[in-house]
Amino acid sequence: LSAVTNLLDNGLSGWSTNLSPKFNFKDCFAISENGRFVFSCGHPDYTIRLCDVANGKPVEVLRGLQQPSCLKLSKCGSVLVVGFRNSTVGVWIFEKALRASSRTNDKMHGFFFNSKVIAHELLSEQGRKEETMRVDKNLIFVNTLSFCCGAIKCIDVSIDLDTVVALTYSEELVYHSLSGDFFARVCNVRADAVFISNESVVVVDKCNFRIFSMNGELLRKSNINDL
């Protein structure tokens, strides 16, 4: 919380006040594992920003044609997923956290190695020059996942389970493999937040929470007031 407070006090206070009423503040920012950087979306100019907490200034700004509606940083701090209103999800690697995470998690070592190769291929296919992959680049684009559903409302990602899950404004719960082709959808899921917990998915609204398996089966439903 102090990181966000410092950031807003140092020049981005207009971001929270200009945030679209359709978006939720909690879904539009993430803090790096070391607390030095804040990722944000929901800006009027459709940008995704990586800002330094110390001075509130952008370190890197990504611009696109589609409006980002939410984002989430993986628990390891190395993968950023961003949901868009056109039902796609962009995947980026946060380079500053990449090496530290790879040293402590054998599962991620192979994923990140492959991701860097994929990033080079995608950039070359788009006709970009090699210098766009300069060593000081903080966010490296990896892939775009097509969810084929409504606009993305909120999102979560798990490296260990190789899964991205999202809630949409069309009341859908959608699963997509982070590095593969697996896709699943559960309809009529009205909720305000989604989390990947161990080997299940938890969705929460104001009155209750539901637990789904990783293939979309409803495992449990409880009223929050009964807990």
Side-chain angles (χ1 to χ4, degrees):
L1 180 59
S2 60
V4 177
T5 302
N6 290 340
L7 185 65
L8 295 178
D9 288 343
N10 283 311
L12 285 184
S13 58
W15 166 56
S16 58
T17 56
N18 291 329
L19 191 66
S20 171
K22 295 182 179 181
F23 302 151
N24 195 314
F25 178 82
K26 69 176 178 60
D27 299 318
C28 292
F29 82 96
I31 302 174
S32 66
E33 194 173 30
N34 60 12
R36 294 179 55 191
F37 302 95
V38 169
F39 305 81
S40 63
C41 67
H43 301 279
D45 57 0
Y46 290 14
T47 56
I48 303 164
R49 301 182 188 182
L50 170 64
C51 296
D52 190 326
V53 169
N55 55 28
K57 295 181 179 180
V59 176
E60 188 165 341
V61 178
L62 305 176
R63 300 180 185 276
L65 298 178
Q66 299 295 331
Q67 186 175 26
S69 52
C70 59
L71 57 77
K72 194 65 173 286
L73 192 64
S74 63
K75 292 180 180 178
C76 63
S78 297
V79 174
L80 178 72
V81 291
V82 182
F84 293 86
R85 291 193 63 79
N86 67 342
S87 79
T88 60
V89 171
V91 182
W92 282 267
I93 290 176
F94 182 37
E95 184 69 15
K96 289 185 180 296
L98 173 61
R99 292 183 181 180
S101 296
S102 296
R103 286 195 297 266
T104 58
N105 191 326
D106 293 335
K107 290 183 179 180
M108 290 191 299
H109 180 74
F111 171 78
F112 286 128
F113 174 80
N114 293 331
S115 296
K116 295 183 77 171
V117 173
I118 292 171
H120 280 282
E121 293 177 352
L122 289 172
L123 289 170
S124 62
E125 287 176 3
Q126 293 172 357
R128 300 181 181 180
K129 298 179 180 180
E130 292 184 1
E131 51 263 31
T132 58
M133 291 294 291
R134 63 189 187 278
V135 294
D136 63 333
K137 192 173 182 66
N138 296 292
L139 292 169
I140 299 177
F141 172 73
V142 179
N143 198 8
T144 298
L145 309 177
S146 179
F147 275 51
C148 303
C149 57
I152 307 297
K153 180 179 182 180
C154 55
I155 195 168
D156 198 6
V157 55
S158 171
I159 299 297
D160 292 334
L161 298 178
D162 186 35
T163 301
V164 177
V165 296
L167 290 172
T168 74
Y169 285 97
S170 300
E171 299 183 0
E172 301 161 307
L173 173 64
V174 189
Y175 300 69
H176 202 298
S177 171
L178 188 59
S179 59
D181 297 327
F182 174 76
F183 175 85
R185 175 166 49 194
V186 182
C187 298
N188 300 318
V189 179
R190 180 179 297 178
D192 302 312
V194 60
F195 308 96
I196 300 177
S197 176
N198 297 327
E199 296 184 359
S200 60
V201 174
V202 180
V203 297
V204 182
D205 60 27
K206 296 179 181 179
C207 300
N208 60 71
F209 75 87
R210 281 165 284 179
I211 300 176
F212 292 86
S213 68
M214 293 307 295
N215 62 7
E217 180 184 358
L218 179 62
L219 302 177
R220 180 184 176 188
K221 180 178 179 180
S222 296
N223 190 294
I224 294 177
N225 296 326
D226 295 335
L227 298 179

